[in-house]
Amino acid sequence: MKIQKSFSGQEQHTVYVVPTPIGNLEDITFRALKTLKDVSVIAAEDTRNTKKLLHYFDIKTPLVSYHEHNKESRGKQLMNRLDNGESIAVVSDAGMPGISDPGFELVQQAIETDYPVVVLPGANAALCALVGSGLSADEFLFYGFLPRKKKEKEAELERLKRLNGTLLLYESPYRIKDTLKMVHAHLGNRQISIARELTKKYEEYIRGHVAELIDWADKTELKGEFCLVIEGTSNESAPKNKLWWSSFSIVEHVTHYMRQADLSSKEAIKLVAADRQMSKRDVYQAYHIDQKE
């Protein structure tokens, strides 16, 4: 068991996790600015991006890079600096470090070495999107980015669809259309909100059902990073005791997956079998053979 007294008057050997604005620079806190000025060094996901922030607020603290590709070697160097009594601030390009951004490993190393880790409150895109969605925030799961590979993404959506809480996902403009179609195929036509360009001049919320947002995405030039907020299975507005595919025949059910998620019949049959708790052979029979008789 470890007990940390964060504010015992000892500021050396400390890792400060400092959120940075996700768009509007005025969202940074006075405490964050003071911390960035007072620490020995700032470990940044992208030093070029962080330099702009520091220049805006006239902060001269030295910068080093700390990202996915150098976290092991740089982490050792940063731990050596902590050993020598220095203090470190960790920042990502935007938002809270460690949340779909670098930071976790350094925090873990500091804790294991009994160095204090002080986390400052601040900007976070997922929570802004959740509160602004109008969907329940009583219970929610932040997932971050879904896997890029189709099979892995399908498997995760199949797992997530059974959860009661509201789901929070991040997505890029290059994959948002395909992700919406796969959400529709695996989770059904649930209520959903998309938040984009949060806190910036072009901030936008798009709220509706998944099918409506698929249509919106097909007609819209998609820019910026997106946060998807999707209702869970226990939401009061969801139909009670009724599966989304219950009105479909087996053939319609298979066809739905093929069209909405761009799956082969073999892949769709596998999902239908899982939905209906049937054998793949029986679903294959109904789709390929019985409908032709």
Side-chain angles (χ1 to χ4, degrees), residues 8 21 51 60 72 84 102 126 245 259:
S8 59
K51 278 180 181 177
K60 310 295 185 182
E72 185 173 346
N84 291 328
W245 47 261
R259 290 177 177 172

Side-chain angles (χ1 to χ4, degrees), residues 240-258:
K240 303 297 182 183
N241 302 318
K242 185 176 180 180
L243 298 169
W244 65 267
W245 47 261
S246 59
S247 62
F248 290 175
S249 67
I250 291 178
V251 172
E252 291 170 337
H253 197 167
V254 173
T255 302
H256 172 85
Y257 276 128
M258 291 173 65

Side-chain angles (χ1 to χ4, degrees), residues 58-72:
D58 194 28
I59 297 173
K60 310 295 185 182
T61 308
L63 273 174
V64 295
S65 63
Y66 179 73
H67 49 70
E68 181 64 28
H69 304 293
N70 75 348
K71 61 186 179 184
E72 185 173 346

